[in-house]
Each structure stands twice: as C-alpha cells, then as structure tokens.
Amino acid sequence: MPFREVTPKMIEATVRPGVKLFSQRGAMLAYKGEVSFTPNLTGGQGGLMGMIGRRVADESVPLMTVEGDGTVMFGHGGHHVHVITLTGDTLYVEADRLLAFDGTLRQGTAFLGSQGGVMGMVRGQVSGQGLFTTTLKGDGAVAVMAHGGVVELPITPQRPVHVDPQSYVAHQGDVHNRLSTALSWRDMVGRGSGEAFQLELSGTGVVYVQGSEEKL
C-alpha cells in the first residue's frame, strides 16, 4: 500500500518509477526525491467517458498526476484522512472527499438515482452533493478526507444502516441506497429534534461516515 499515516490529518505516499498516483490538486504538502506533478484532465483511468460523467455531474474537483521516485506528504484543509484498501471491489465516493488514490484503480462515474429511483435523485438536492458519485475499482488504496474522523459501519441484509446525508463519505459492497424521511407531525410544527432525511443503505458492505455534518 503506497500510503502511510503520519498524523490523523496527513499521509505519506511512496512514489515508485513507472507507477502513477493521483491526488487532489493543491494537496501536496512536501516531497522528497525526484517527483513530478502535472494537471490531470481525464481523472485517472476513467478516460473520456469518466471525464464527461464528472462534467455532467458538475464535479469540478481538479486532480494532478504524481510520478517519479520518492515520497510525498499529502493533506488538505486540516481534514482527517482515512485510507481504504480495495481488493478488486468498487468504492463509491464523493469526488470532493478524495485526497489521493492509486493510479492502478479504474475511475468512473455512477448515477445514484438509478439505485434509489426518484428518492435517490432527491438525495443530491437535500445533501448538496451531486446526483452522480465517483467510482474507483480494482486493487489499490484510496485516501479520503472527512471532518472529525471516519468510522466504518458494516451493512448486512438483516441490519441496514441509516446515515445523515451530510455525514456520508463513501461506501463499498453490494449496497443499495435510498432517501428516507423521518418527518413526523412534531417536525412539521417545529417541535421535533430529529433529522428530517436519512440515507438508508441496505445489502452487504461497508459505509464510511464522518464525525461531523460539515461540508468540505
């Protein structure tokens, strides 16, 4: 795995000849060795369709390609960093949560509305996040950012997980999502204290949740 945690808000990446890394532009803090940084227009191995998907989704998070021989320190905005290891599976992650990831991973775009129908599409309006989300698939590591740290919550067929949409970071596995409402008459008249909307994830997998509802 190319990423090593230095502090809860900083990682060190090992860059080897012939192997690329991708990171959010502006996330490099320091580096040692012969390392180059170049703007990336196609977003990893997603190619033209991945780039088009991100433009349709209005995901304007710029990436840079990292190559060479050395080590690079990454961090951004004082956010906590969490490293996720993929072994052939797919990670669904909000684009603005990505800090860095292996160049061996294939990047694409998924339409969340297809998993939850109309309610899945409503999620984008409620959470302020897009109707699309970034996918990373293959064998490699991904470093994501979050407020207040990240917890991993297992999802099982017998026990779905409900998440505040603002706290959602990413998920992986055979998981379906839909937006559910917790509105009651008390909420309608201003006397409720519960969250009005929840993102329900069911199936088998893991959801990554940040410890704060703040946006990045």
Side-chain angles (χ1 to χ4, degrees):
M1 184 171 66
F3 302 128
R4 179 181 70 85
E5 181 181 297
V6 179
T7 74
K9 299 181 179 182
M10 184 187 303
I11 58 170
E12 181 183 73
T14 301
V15 184
R16 303 188 184 283
V19 179
K20 295 180 180 179
L21 293 177
F22 296 98
S23 75
Q24 189 171 134
R25 205 173 302 175
M28 188 276 290
L29 302 176
Y31 72 91
K32 295 184 293 185
E34 299 295 324
V35 182
S36 65
F37 306 87
T38 55
N40 182 269
L41 300 177
T42 59
Q45 297 189 2
L48 180 61
M49 291 309 295
M51 179 175 64
I52 291 174
R54 283 185 295 281
R55 286 182 176 175
V56 170
D58 194 28
E59 293 183 356
S60 57
V61 178
L63 296 177
M64 61 182 177
T65 303
V66 184
E67 299 176 276
D69 186 6
T71 57
V72 183
M73 310 286 279
F74 289 112
H76 190 65
H79 304 306
H80 286 81
V81 181
H82 186 76
V83 178
I84 301 170
T85 301
L86 300 180
T87 54
D89 45 344
T90 301
L91 180 72
Y92 297 80
V93 57
E94 300 298 323
D96 60 357
R97 309 286 184 179
L98 283 172
L99 178 64
F101 58 93
D102 267 321
T104 54
L105 297 172
R106 299 187 300 278
Q107 186 177 3
T109 305
F111 180 52
L112 288 183
S114 65
Q115 291 193 31
V118 174
M119 294 308 289
M121 290 188 284
V122 170
R123 175 195 165 215
Q125 302 300 319
V126 173
S127 67
Q129 298 163 335
L131 305 183
F132 293 77
T133 194
T134 297
T135 60
L136 295 171
K137 183 177 182 179
D139 295 293
V142 183
V144 298
M145 300 179 291
H147 282 285
V150 173
V151 295
E152 302 181 13
L153 300 177
I155 304 167
T156 65
Q158 297 79 22
R159 191 178 292 270
V161 177
H162 295 80
V163 177
D164 184 316
Q166 296 287 5
S167 297
Y168 170 85
V169 175
H171 75 268
Q172 65 186 111
D174 185 11
V175 175
H176 297 274
N177 71 77
R178 72 181 185 91
L179 199 71
S180 61
T181 178
L183 280 174
S184 68
W185 70 271
R186 292 182 181 273
D187 296 291
M188 297 298 290
V189 298
R191 297 183 180 179
S193 60
E195 299 291 349
F197 293 95
Q198 300 168 352
L199 185 64
E200 180 183 304
L201 298 112
S202 59
T204 304
V206 176
V207 58
Y208 301 89
V209 180
Q210 69 174 2
S212 169
E213 296 180 353
E214 294 184 40
K215 296 182 181 179
L216 295 181

